[in-house]
Amino acid sequence: MNYLLSEIARIVGGKHIGCDCRVRSIATDSRSILSSQEVAFAAIDGKNHDGHNYIERMFSRGVMAFIVERDVELPSKSCGVVVVSSTIDALQALATYHRSRFNGTVVAITGSNGKTIVKEWAARSMPDNVRSFASPKSYNSQLGVALSLLMLEGEERVAFIEAGISQPGEMERLERMIRPDVVVFTSIGDAHSANFPSQQHKIDEKLLLARGARTIIYSSEYGDLSRSIKERYGDRELIDSSREAVDDVLELSDALSVDACHVSALMRHLGYGVDDAVFSANVAMRLELKEGIDGSMIIDDTYNSDINSVMVALDALHLQAMGRRRVAVISDIRQSGMDGEELYGRIAEAVRKAGVDHLIGVGENIMSYRTLFPRSSSFYFSTEELIENFDRERWAASVILVKGSRDSRFERLTRLLERRTHTTTLEVDLAAMKKNLNYFRRHLAAYHPLVAMVKAGSYGMGDVEVAHLLQHEGVKYLAVAFADEGVTLRSKGVTMPIVVLNADQDSFDVMISHDLEPEIYNFRSLDEFRRAVHRAHRFGYPIHIKLDTGMHRLGFVDDEIDLLGRAIHNDETLHVASIFSHLSCADMPSEDDFTRAQIASFDYMSQQLSEWLDYKPLRHLANSAAILRFPEAHFDMCRLGLGLYGFGYEHNPDLLPVATLSTRIVQIKQLAKGESVGYGRAARLERDTTMATIPIGYADGLDRHLGEGRWRVKVGGGMAPIIGRVCMDSAMVDITDIKGVSVGDKVTIFSADRGNTLEDMAEILGTISYEIMTSLSSRIKRIYTER
């Protein structure tokens, strides 16, 4: 985009005041803006943040243009502003106008599932000599689509735009902006169904996206969707992608096979064919976060490279580093539509804004413009040259962005950088976690503070990466179980307040030295912590008072409130930051009377204690279940634990699963009837059997009680039972009835798919899903994805 502020005001019906700045891009997040040249900051007054509060900060970072919803005092006469009634409406109007000037083909992709992977596969399957654009991450919302369209430079031949809705009325606004030439309907299912009266109503809403499209691609496997498309748009070019033949599609799961067929049909329709199509589950997501060598962390984005995706990747580096050393490896950028000096000049500015300590440029083009980059940068003609000069010291204790196009072959570099090479991986979807966070926020008042539970390595998901996400999303507190967990977070750049729930006196000095805040649950801990604060020559140190309202685990009881009040009255050494308690059965409707009694008890006890203070501590009681079920328990703050990670999503379709555990087949054997498998000959085969060995066992957290046919894993589109006993480091599965399975194929231990979920596994084991998650071994490689 390229507009003057006065032009933007005219387009969106706003009022222009001050300097008539030129605007080439829009920023809406004050925490992640990387470039200040010709950027307009659009201040949005949202449910959890008011962007107008950050105008001064943006000005200090060089931003001169602003779009606002109310009159504001400009930081300087050299600034310009457009005042509108609604910033989001204005951005949508600007995106609509900008789209109208675009002459390429616009492909819109929607559906209940598979939108992002179809978009990614299609974009990465485009020929290298054809310039195209794909909306970044999962920018498919009312705001995300507008921002995506405004990223169009105008020279692209094809634009792939993802579109998602969660309630009626949204698709009409999206269609008005996108005006797609081609629409791909990936699927229809239960996702985001809560706000629609029926499945057909949701289908009708989604079909609005295609009202002006020339071509519609869909799969007749979704009968209701297929029938509705034919009834409403029978006069258009309709392409049934279920008839497409895709090579190697049997190597993918059923869902991914459908997605691959969509992409195959789309690429043929666009005239590019499928010879270079990318149908790999390994490139389904962007921005994978992995643990690296020597205390480093890798942000892996090694499948495409364009100006917009580089900016998004540098933004991720900027946010993830949190005070740690930043290293960026960036390849040549193909088909940008800009001359080299402008292109690499913009990249160089973004590198500086992201605080990159060491840039490594790979390729002849970026090397030609090395003078634009900081002097500390290094350049190599090829990936081979970089690997030949691999030096572990340059990567140590750093956050490393590896960002390149397919032909850069950066995957060879990431293999060298990865700390763990275990074939078994736990994939944690940070985008889903963010959506879960926002789901709970919708049930709370605007700006209502939250404490996020990240104890036990964020319930097995990994501590630091989750903490960085929550810090960026404006959560008020993190909570860990023990001081060591808090120290780890501090050592990796987490600066937000951290509460230690199981604080003991042996760790008090360490806690104070790392600014960790204790839960105080008895008089002994209160006295010992006060002494520790005195020793550290601190005063007004924050503590969190725990009350026992009926769970009878930890906390002060009712009879102790007056004595506690006297003990903390006029105490200048300690400051009561919060008073809280635990609900023991907020998720059990049969115990609602007991829960209401706990709420009443907490309300009374916390008020009695607060009267001893000349300030007002935060009061918090509600956990994930109570946020949804007991509004009267919200008080001043709420605690979000299991719901953040998607536990219980089978019973709540608005919660998204966060974790998928998978591995790969390492060997396949043909065994005859009567042979035995594994320790103790526990499995004696009753038929000729094809057996596959997978490298995951009870040392990884695969419970031994899942053996002997009790659990089935997903492989090659089918379900394979575990045969014999689960070993320490491996297990064997029966793949006799699944055709086309090969060594190296992916095996899913648990996922979001019916029959393969954590809840299903927990039911078999007679336990709870989060016991399984917290039992997963640290040797399993964690991969964090952002869509």
Side-chain angles (χ1 to χ4, degrees), residues 171-173 175-176 183 207-213 233 236:
M171 190 59 86
E172 185 169 8
R173 299 182 73 181
E175 189 278 335
R176 209 158 43 232
V183 175
L207 289 186
L208 291 174
L209 184 60
R211 62 185 176 188
Y233 299 125
R236 316 288 176 84

Side-chain angles (χ1 to χ4, degrees), residues 105-152:
T105 299
V106 175
V107 178
I109 302 162
T110 193
S112 299
N113 299 289
K115 297 185 292 295
T116 300
I117 196 169
V118 168
K119 178 197 68 182
E120 294 294 329
W121 279 353
R124 297 176 196 200
S125 299
M126 290 290 291
D128 289 338
N129 63 348
V130 177
R131 191 174 174 199
S132 62
F133 169 81
S135 51
K137 300 185 184 180
S138 287
Y139 274 31
N140 59 27
S141 65
Q142 298 294 308
L143 176 60
V145 168
L147 295 177
S148 296
L149 291 169
L150 290 171
M151 291 179 186
L152 288 170

Side-chain angles (χ1 to χ4, degrees), residues 42 81 95 173 200 229 261 306 339 398 469 579 661 672 721 765:
V81 66
R173 299 182 73 181
Q200 186 59 49
I229 289 172
C261 289
D306 58 67
D339 65 72
S398 302
L469 169 71
I579 303 170
L661 181 64
L765 293 173

Side-chain angles (χ1 to χ4, degrees), residues 238-422:
L238 303 182
I239 300 175
D240 182 358
S241 64
S242 62
R243 300 169 189 163
E244 291 290 327
V246 181
D247 294 338
D248 300 325
V249 81
L250 291 177
E251 296 183 3
L252 302 171
S253 68
D254 289 345
L256 292 183
S257 296
V258 173
D259 295 333
C261 289
H262 289 319
V263 175
S264 173
L266 174 60
M267 298 311 291
R268 287 195 173 103
H269 170 73
L270 295 174
Y272 301 117
V274 295
D275 291 342
D276 296 321
V278 178
F279 297 134
S280 169
N282 294 332
V283 297
M285 303 297 177
R286 291 184 176 180
L287 301 180
E288 291 186 343
L289 278 66
K290 305 173 182 177
E291 191 173 359
I293 58 174
D294 300 330
S296 66
M297 185 175 76
I298 307 162
I299 302 175
D300 184 1
D301 190 6
T302 55
Y303 286 93
N304 76 329
S305 187
D306 58 67
I307 182 70
N308 289 310
S309 68
V310 170
M311 295 296 186
V312 170
L314 284 169
D315 183 43
L317 175 62
H318 173 72
L319 296 173
Q320 284 294 331
M322 295 293 183
R324 287 180 285 175
R325 183 171 177 268
R326 299 173 173 96
V327 176
V329 186
I330 299 177
S331 74
D332 283 348
I333 298 174
R334 311 291 185 186
Q335 303 298 322
S336 71
M338 308 177 199
D339 65 72
E341 187 156 355
E342 179 186 1
L343 170 64
Y344 291 107
R346 289 177 62 179
I347 297 297
E349 186 209 1
V351 165
R352 291 187 181 91
K353 290 285 184 180
V356 173
D357 297 289
H358 185 56
L359 170 78
I360 300 173
V362 180
E364 295 183 11
N365 292 341
I366 194 170
M367 179 175 275
S368 299
Y369 295 94
R370 60 192 305 167
T371 57
L372 299 174
F373 292 89
R375 290 186 178 183
S376 60
S377 305
S378 303
F379 294 88
Y380 298 89
F381 281 107
S382 65
T383 306
E384 289 79 7
E385 185 184 1
L386 172 58
I387 291 174
E388 287 172 5
N389 292 275
F390 189 83
D391 180 0
R392 289 181 68 109
E393 291 185 3
R394 74 160 48 155
W395 314 103
S398 302
V399 180
I400 306 161
L401 169 65
V402 183
K403 175 63 180 170
S405 56
R406 273 189 291 161
D407 56 5
S408 66
R409 301 289 304 280
F410 275 177
E411 61 270 16
R412 294 171 294 171
L413 175 63
T414 58
R415 282 196 290 268
L416 287 175
L417 292 171
E418 286 185 48
R419 177 185 173 191
R420 291 184 175 87
T421 56
H422 196 331

